[in-house]
Amino acid sequence: MYLCRKFCGQTAYNHEKKQKMLLDYQKVKVYQANVPVLSDVDFQVDEGELVYIIGKVGSGKSSLLKTIYCEIDICDDDADRAEVLGRDLKRIRRKEIPALRKELGIIFQDFQLLHDRSVEKNLRFVLKATGWKDKTAIAERIDEVLAAVGMSEKKTKMPSELSGGEQQRIAIARALLNTPKMIVADEPTGNLDPETASNIVALLREITQKGTAVIMSTHNIPMLDKYPGKVYECKEGRFERCLF
């Protein structure tokens, strides 16, 4: 059982901690296909935090996450404040979005690996697309992130040769390539068996110990007890802090 309650503005939690705030939403409205699904969203995330977002399908979880990396816009009239990594999302320009996304890691439920190339080439593609040019530095970074997720031996494998859990670990490695300040994960365990899902959340929690914040949506409620973090629920147009 858990209880949810509305938190207004910046919480006492943030005042008590000294970590840098990476995300600050105050009175934000979130849309899904031009229909408002969440109103008055008050949401703060500090560096190194593990944050869960729960709620039924269609409750606005994914749409909220998409606002963080500007796939869904936040208009000036739809928020008192909407800041991510020091950027005002109400006024951010299109040309500024790639730089923001470079400081974020994004993980999807369906992995979104390129199936026509190996693990190594998947990661190399991302690094080159984000401005890396030095071949030695690229090779070293790929080795570093694969080691971090326990996938060093899978470097030459094709995605089709990997299990679902292994593909998700590669997706996490991809998210880590540019040393993100924050990772946004949309149902990263949704297609995985319970044991594999537990291992993935354990890995994400381990990443937070190095200062990277992780925000993940999930339906896996038992995982919240096993790997504690801050919990919010999207429900009937509201966004509320939950106390387990």
Side-chain angles (χ1 to χ4, degrees):
M1 295 293 293
Y2 58 90
L3 298 173
C4 293
R5 55 179 170 145
K6 184 72 175 180
F7 275 51
C8 297
Q10 187 168 318
T11 68
Y13 180 92
N14 286 317
H15 286 300
E16 293 168 1
K17 297 185 71 173
K18 294 183 180 180
Q19 287 94 329
K20 180 180 179 182
M21 186 183 292
L22 303 180
L23 180 150
D24 188 9
Y25 278 12
Q26 296 182 23
K27 305 299 180 192
V28 171
K29 183 179 289 185
V30 178
Y31 291 83
Q32 191 177 80
N34 296 320
V35 176
V37 288
L38 293 171
S39 298
D40 294 332
V41 172
D42 290 323
F43 184 32
Q44 290 81 35
V45 179
D46 289 344
E47 61 185 5
E49 285 192 317
L50 175 61
V51 180
Y52 297 101
I53 300 176
I54 63 174
K56 295 180 180 179
V57 173
S59 62
K61 300 187 307 298
S62 293
S63 296
L64 174 61
L65 294 182
K66 288 177 180 178
T67 67
I68 296 173
Y69 52 92
C70 299
E71 186 168 330
I72 292 178
D73 294 334
I74 297 175
C75 300
D76 193 39
D77 293 338
D78 292 328
D80 286 354
R81 179 176 295 173
E83 295 182 357
V84 174
L85 304 182
R87 295 167 175 86
D88 184 351
L89 299 192
K90 298 189 298 177
R91 296 177 177 84
I92 194 168
R93 299 178 181 179
R94 290 287 115 189
K95 65 180 181 181
E96 297 171 330
I97 291 175
L100 169 63
R101 290 178 178 172
K102 189 174 179 180
E103 295 182 35
L104 294 168
I106 304 170
I107 303 170
F108 304 95
Q109 180 177 350
D110 58 357
F111 319 133
Q112 295 198 8
L113 299 175
L114 301 172
H115 288 271
D116 62 344
R117 62 197 72 189
S118 68
V119 166
E120 180 181 17
K121 290 181 179 179
N122 263 272
L123 301 182
R124 186 183 302 151
F125 175 83
V126 173
L127 287 174
K128 287 186 174 181
T130 53
W132 291 60
K133 300 185 184 302
D134 186 275
K135 292 182 179 180
T136 300
I138 289 173
E140 289 177 350
R141 186 57 186 154
I142 290 172
D143 287 343
E144 287 170 358
V145 297
L146 288 177
V149 301
M151 288 281 105
S152 295
E153 296 180 358
K154 305 294 183 178
K155 183 164 66 172
T156 62
K157 297 291 186 180
M158 300 294 286
S160 60
E161 299 178 277
L162 305 176
S163 68
E166 289 172 336
Q167 290 189 58
Q168 194 59 291
R169 283 179 177 267
I170 298 304
I172 294 171
R174 180 183 59 197
L176 292 173
L177 282 169
N178 285 302
T179 316
K181 297 175 182 178
M182 183 162 60
I183 289 176
V184 178
D186 193 0
E187 291 284 353
T189 64
N191 292 326
L192 306 177
D193 64 83
E195 182 178 358
T196 303
S198 180
N199 292 336
I200 291 298
V201 177
L203 176 58
L204 291 171
R205 189 185 187 199
E206 182 180 332
I207 289 169
T208 66
Q209 304 304 309
K210 300 178 182 179
T212 298
V214 174
I215 307 170
M216 63 176 287
S217 63
T218 184
H219 286 100
N220 196 335
I221 302 303
M223 202 70 68
L224 279 57
D225 286 324
K226 189 172 183 180
Y227 302 105
K230 288 171 66 175
V231 184
Y232 293 88
E233 183 178 25
C234 299
K235 183 178 181 180
E236 298 176 352
R238 304 187 306 273
F239 185 74
E240 298 178 340
R241 177 82 179 273
C242 299
L243 303 178
F244 275 74

